[in-house]
Amino acid sequence: MAAHDIIIKPLLSEKSYAGIKDKKYVFIVKKDANKTQIKLAIEEIFGVQVEKVNTANVSGKLKRQGRYEGYTPDYKKAIVQLKKDSKSIEFFDSLS
C-alpha cells in the first residue's frame, strides 16, 4: 500500500487546531491501516519525524432528509505527535 493511499485527508476542527502548536496533527486514514503504516506514510509524505500515533474508529452519524434517514460513512482518524526536534508540517503552519 502506497503512502498516499493510507492518508486520505487532514481533519480540520477546533480540537485539531488546538493541537497544532504542540506538533499534534489529525488525519483521516484508511480503515485497515495500522499505526506503523500510518507513521511511515506521514514520515514519507511530509518529511518529518513521528514520535507516536493514536488511532480511533469513528462511527457515522445518523442524518435525516425528511422522512428518510441514513448514516454517514464510518472512518478512522489518526492523531500524530511529532518529535520535538522535528520540523512542523507546512500545510498546517498557515492555519495556526
Side-chain angles (χ1 to χ4, degrees):
M1 200 172 350
H4 289 283
D5 294 335
I6 295 172
I7 308 299
I8 297 173
K9 64 181 181 178
L11 182 64
L12 304 174
S13 65
E14 278 189 47
K15 194 170 186 178
S16 67
Y17 283 128
I20 291 175
K21 65 178 174 4
D22 299 327
K23 293 187 178 181
K24 199 177 267 194
Y25 304 101
V26 183
F27 295 93
I28 294 178
V29 297
K30 196 167 183 152
K31 284 183 77 168
D32 58 348
N34 60 34
K35 292 181 180 186
T36 307
Q37 292 172 330
I38 295 168
K39 178 182 177 178
L40 294 173
I42 295 290
E43 289 176 346
E44 181 182 328
I45 293 171
F46 298 107
V48 294
Q49 296 175 334
V50 176
E51 184 176 335
K52 69 177 183 174
V53 176
N54 293 330
T55 59
N57 288 310
V58 181
S59 300
K61 293 182 179 179
L62 178 67
K63 296 289 185 177
R64 291 189 40 175
Q65 185 75 36
R67 65 182 180 145
Y68 302 102
E69 61 184 30
Y71 286 88
T72 58
D74 298 342
Y75 62 94
K76 186 175 196 173
K77 73 177 177 181
I79 299 101
V80 178
Q81 175 69 49
L82 302 183
K83 292 184 179 177
K84 299 294 181 195
D85 58 340
S86 174
K87 68 180 184 107
S88 62
I89 297 176
E90 295 173 10
F91 172 78
F92 293 97
D93 289 342
S94 61
L95 302 176
S96 59

